[in-house]
Amino acid sequence: ELTPQSGAAPSRRTIGKKDYQARGVLYLPEIARYSNLLELPEGADLGEAVSNAMGAIEDENEELRGVLPKDYSKLDNPTLATLLKTFSEIPMDIEGDMFGKVYEYFLGKFAMAEGQRGGEFFTPTSLVRLIVEVIEPYKGRIFDPACGSGGMFVQSADFVNSHQRNPADEISIYGQELVAETIRLSRMNLRVHGLSGDIRQGNSYYEDVHESLNKFDFVMANPPFNVDEVIYNGVKDDPRFNTYGIPKRKNKSKGKAEEETVPNANYLWINLFATSLKDQGRAALVMANSASDARHSEADIRRELIEQNLIYGMLTLPSNMFYTVTLPATLWFFDKGKAARGLEGDRAERILFIDARNVFTQIDRAHREFSEAQIQNLASISRLYCGQRDSFIDLIDSYFADGMQRLTANAEAAPAVTDQVAALIDDADCARAAQALREQWTAYPALQQAWTDYQQGGKAEDADARNSRQRALAEPFAAFFADLHERQKTLDKAIRAWERTEAEKNEGRRRPDRDMKALKAAMDTLHADMRDAEQCFAHIEWLQSRFPEARYEDVVGLCKAATKAEVEEQDWSLNPGRYVGVVIEEDGKTEEEFAEWLVASQDDLDRLNQEATALEQVIRTNLTELLE
């Protein structure tokens, strides 16, 4: 409140632009608010009003000057009125950055629709989340030399927020982007998320608009893959590119005089990341798999980076992670200050290889992503490697807490479902199966008590003690879920058998007193909730089975911390597949049995080849007759 003059009534200070800015919130003048636009008189030109609103937002927010679209005359009044009303009804008290999530959602959909053009500005959010979780940009200058829509910056800010810090106080944002239209998207994305940054236009091959050499604490990007025809003379004297060596070739351009060019720009980007880092700096970039094994001059650069101990780790991604291409990719991680991350002695000289090709969530037929749990599970490998054991144990604790919450809800719902079975179905097999399922939940109180006892232990113990108690806590859940599966399957099977019998007796007609739709809906909900609960405990099993001591260790088929000598033996390759190995599934056969199986398989193959040859001859004969 403002101090009133003598005799004057107290008054409240008017909230203004600076108050919004102090909270990191985009300021909207009155003319640009939904309340004003929705109250315009009938017949008003909404296209002009929205265009004016956008102009007013730019006037009040300097970082958005020339960024927002301002021509809405192409949309008719009814369409604009519907959009304004719909957006105005989004609750203001939703937790999290709802508008930012909506914006990212449309960026993602646009990338999927636009194909290759979409890929110029959008990197899937789950991939960026993994990058950020591994390099941990708590504080400092962040640079993206191919920043696109600014997703790396947004996720870095979210990471800082998640650790109860203010991004505006902790990180500074610097970006460079070639395409002017994409720069506008980036600036708008930053402001939607309450962020500000220095985003400039420039070709990163030939322009260094931020004077990036040895300047940044964190560098991250998804640069374009396999760009050719970069002019050698334009980059050869630039220390951003020649510090560790530069790829070079002689090539004749199309119809032009011979001109020296760089054969592939992948290693220009790799050089740029290494040289942009300050001492103790960290970087991550998305790169085509082929760069990990590239030969000739690229191999020399790679060897130099390895011998200088700049490579922290390599992670192979699953296929189909991008909206634009199916090209397989790898994440490269750089670290100029490994000791500062807790890597000492022999480990400070090693490279962490992770093969994540089999870790993904299928979102549709053609696209995959990492779930939040998968992101945390993969990042936990890096954290364990750096000795962050408490972080690993805390993650498992979070899965226990989430799983127990879901199990509690399931335990409360299960009796009602079995009651519905008894009320609707007069069948002995169904009754026994429903009773068995209900009895299974009598084991739940013991699990709940075990969880309560574990929680009372708190976090005062050391990591070894906490891990030991965690592993003991997890054991009874495996048996519980195994029994529960069997009883649920038995009940489902009994209900299906009863339905078939009823259909035969009643000639396909269902008796009107049986609300089977309600029962099916209840059963489906019960199964879905149980799957969610079980998934939490599946993540616990995934982590504990691979790192039982809550310490980093090499896991065949997943991760390997390789020495420089081991990398040299592989001709300086940085392909994780060469190091992590392959899990050989045990088939239970003796050596003699395997030999017999192999001979039988060869006989089957010979027989099939003979049949194929015979069929090929029949087809050829038939085609000849048809053509004649």
Side-chain angles (χ1 to χ4, degrees):
E1 290 186 3
L2 298 178
T3 303
Q5 295 180 352
S6 177
S11 62
R12 290 188 177 276
R13 180 175 64 82
T14 303
I15 296 176
K17 174 180 176 180
K18 291 184 179 178
D19 297 289
Y20 286 90
Q21 293 174 333
R23 298 287 297 272
V25 176
L26 182 68
Y27 175 72
L28 297 181
E30 289 287 343
I31 190 178
R33 297 179 185 178
Y34 286 118
S35 56
N36 176 70
L37 293 170
L38 289 170
E39 291 173 2
L40 290 173
E42 187 175 352
D45 188 341
L46 288 183
E48 181 180 4
V50 175
S51 297
N52 291 338
M54 292 294 184
I57 295 172
E58 287 190 348
D59 290 340
E60 295 290 350
N61 298 273
E62 185 176 348
E63 291 173 341
L64 291 179
R65 296 278 170 84
V67 170
L68 300 180
K70 292 183 285 293
D71 183 9
Y72 288 86
S73 59
K74 296 177 182 178
L75 296 175
D76 55 51
N77 268 17
T79 299
L80 280 172
T82 301
L83 286 173
L84 288 171
K85 185 175 185 299
T86 300
F87 276 93
S88 70
E89 291 173 351
I90 297 175
M92 292 296 102
D93 59 350
I94 295 178
E95 293 185 1
D97 183 10
M98 181 52 61
F99 281 101
K101 288 180 173 64
V102 170
Y103 185 73
E104 287 189 349
Y105 171 81
F106 281 108
L107 278 179
K109 292 298 182 183
F110 183 65
M112 293 175 70
E114 288 297 298
Q116 185 59 43
R117 285 190 61 233
E120 292 175 1
F121 63 82
F122 185 77
T123 305
T125 301
S126 70
L127 186 54
V128 184
R129 287 272 298 112
L130 176 58
I131 288 173
V132 170
E133 289 292 331
V134 172
I135 71 171
E136 300 178 317
Y138 287 106
K139 185 180 182 66
R141 293 183 171 190
I142 299 177
F143 177 46
D144 185 340
C147 68
S149 67
M152 299 284 180
F153 303 133
V154 171
Q155 295 303 326
S156 296
D158 283 351
F159 176 84
V160 175
N161 265 323
S162 70
H163 289 81
Q164 288 73 53
R165 302 181 185 181
N166 183 358
D169 297 333
E170 304 295 334
I171 59 175
S172 301
I173 290 170
Y174 300 84
Q176 183 165 334
E177 170 60 39
L178 175 63
V179 182
E181 290 82 357
T182 308
I183 290 175
R184 288 197 283 273
L185 286 172
S186 180
R187 290 174 178 168
M188 191 160 38
N189 199 12
L190 290 180
R191 292 305 299 141
V192 165
H193 286 81
L195 302 172
S196 60
D198 187 357
I199 311 297
R200 303 184 191 180
Q201 185 175 8
N203 185 326
S204 291
Y205 300 124
Y206 310 118
E207 301 170 86
D208 186 12
V209 297
H210 290 297
E211 299 179 352
S212 61
L213 192 66
N214 304 320
K215 183 176 182 178
F216 295 101
D217 299 284
F218 303 96
V219 184
M220 56 188 92
N222 176 18
F225 298 168
N226 302 323
V227 175
D228 57 11
E229 302 302 323
V230 174
I231 306 303
Y232 177 74
N233 286 335
V235 297
K236 67 180 179 65
D237 297 322
D238 192 332
R240 295 181 301 154
F241 302 123
N242 64 20
T243 298
Y244 301 102
I246 188 167
K248 178 182 177 182
R249 74 173 178 193
K250 284 280 187 177
N251 182 40
K252 291 185 177 180
S253 299
K254 302 171 184 177
K256 297 181 181 179
E258 187 175 44
E259 185 177 50
E260 197 168 5
T261 61
V262 175
N264 188 313
N266 288 347
Y267 272 81
L268 292 181
W269 289 107
I270 292 169
N271 265 304
L272 176 58
F273 276 69
T275 57
S276 296
L277 290 176
K278 295 164 58 176
D279 290 342
Q280 313 296 320
R282 304 171 194 166
L285 78 154
V286 188
M287 184 50 63
N289 274 3
S290 57
S292 304
D293 289 308
R295 309 304 302 158
H296 309 302
S297 58
E298 287 94 337
D300 295 334
I301 298 171
R302 190 169 62 249
R303 175 176 179 173
E304 183 66 20
L305 291 168
I306 294 168
E307 291 187 329
Q308 292 293 327
N309 199 26
L310 293 175
I311 306 297
Y312 166 76
M314 304 286 294
L315 186 148
T316 304
L317 295 169
S319 59
N320 298 333
M321 292 289 285
F322 299 92
Y323 295 117
T324 55
V325 293
T326 58
L327 189 69
T330 298
L331 300 182
W332 292 54
F333 295 99
F334 298 79
D335 196 335
K336 279 191 171 182
K338 292 184 179 181
R341 299 187 82 176
L343 296 172
E344 300 175 348
D346 176 62
R347 184 166 290 185
E349 299 292 321
R350 291 174 179 258
I351 297 174
L352 176 62
F353 292 96
I354 300 175
D355 189 342
R357 286 177 294 180
N358 295 320
V359 180
F360 59 82
T361 298
Q362 196 78 36
I363 55 176
D364 58 39
R365 186 181 59 83
H367 300 101
R368 297 167 172 173
E369 67 179 10
F370 292 127
S371 68
E372 180 59 27
Q374 288 166 340
I375 291 169
Q376 295 302 326
N377 293 349
L378 290 171
S380 71
I381 300 174
S382 174
R383 296 185 188 121
L384 274 183
Y385 183 65
C386 295
Q388 299 177 28
R389 300 180 68 201
D390 284 336
S391 175
F392 177 85
I393 295 170
D394 287 345
L395 176 61
I396 293 179
D397 272 355
S398 72
Y399 289 143
F400 269 118
D402 192 15
M404 288 304 299
Q405 183 179 6
R406 295 173 187 274
L407 269 180
T408 299
N410 216 251
E412 294 170 353
V417 175
T418 54
D419 287 346
Q420 280 182 286
V421 174
L424 292 172
I425 302 175
D426 50 355
D427 177 78
D429 289 339
C430 288
R432 281 192 295 270
Q435 182 61 26
L437 179 60
R438 185 168 191 146
E439 289 175 356
Q440 174 64 25
W441 285 99
T442 60
Y444 172 70
L447 298 177
Q448 191 176 43
Q449 185 60 50
W451 168 238
T452 300
D453 293 343
Y454 171 80
Q455 287 179 296
Q456 290 175 348
K459 296 185 179 181
E461 300 170 309
D462 63 24
D464 286 326
R466 287 181 67 196
N467 177 61
S468 178
R469 291 203 305 120
Q470 267 188 348
R471 288 177 56 76
L473 178 63
E475 288 179 4
F477 285 94
F480 175 81
F481 282 116
D483 289 343
L484 191 65
H485 273 306
E486 288 303 315
R487 299 188 187 202
Q488 284 182 332
K489 284 166 57 178
T490 300
L491 178 57
D492 291 340
K493 184 178 179 180
I495 292 175
R496 287 195 299 271
W498 174 81
E499 285 184 316
R500 287 193 298 270
T501 302
E502 283 290 291
E504 291 171 0
K505 287 196 306 186
N506 298 294
E507 298 179 350
R509 295 189 300 274
R510 179 172 290 142
R511 284 168 53 182
D513 61 333
R514 302 188 191 278
D515 188 2
M516 295 304 295
K517 285 186 178 179
L519 176 60
K520 184 178 185 305
M523 292 286 290
D524 288 345
T525 300
L526 190 69
H527 291 350
D529 289 345
M530 181 51 58
R531 282 195 299 271
D532 290 340
E534 189 175 12
Q535 191 63 45
C536 297
F537 291 94
H539 291 307
I540 293 171
E541 193 278 334
W542 193 91
L543 292 168
Q544 289 185 337
S545 64
R546 287 158 177 78
F547 307 101
E549 302 302 320
R551 297 179 185 276
Y552 174 82
E553 57 186 81
D554 294 339
V555 179
V556 176
L558 178 63
C559 58
K560 163 77 174 179
T563 65
K564 286 184 182 179
E566 289 173 317
V567 176
E568 184 176 6
E569 287 177 5
Q570 294 293 335
D571 203 16
W572 306 100
S573 167
L574 289 177
N575 185 338
R578 291 195 180 207
Y579 301 93
V580 304
V582 178
V583 177
I584 299 175
E585 298 291 342
E586 178 60 54
D587 58 11
K589 293 183 175 68
T590 65
E591 187 174 342
E592 293 76 15
E593 290 171 336
F594 177 77
E596 291 176 4
W597 172 84
L598 194 60
V599 170
S601 297
Q602 181 64 47
D603 291 342
D604 289 341
L605 180 61
D606 291 341
R607 177 179 53 78
L608 290 171
N609 284 335
Q610 291 172 3
E611 292 177 1
T613 301
L615 287 172
E616 183 182 1
Q617 183 59 46
V618 170
I619 292 170
R620 184 180 294 109
T621 300
N622 290 341
L623 282 175
T624 301
E625 292 177 356
L626 285 172
L627 291 174
E628 289 177 349

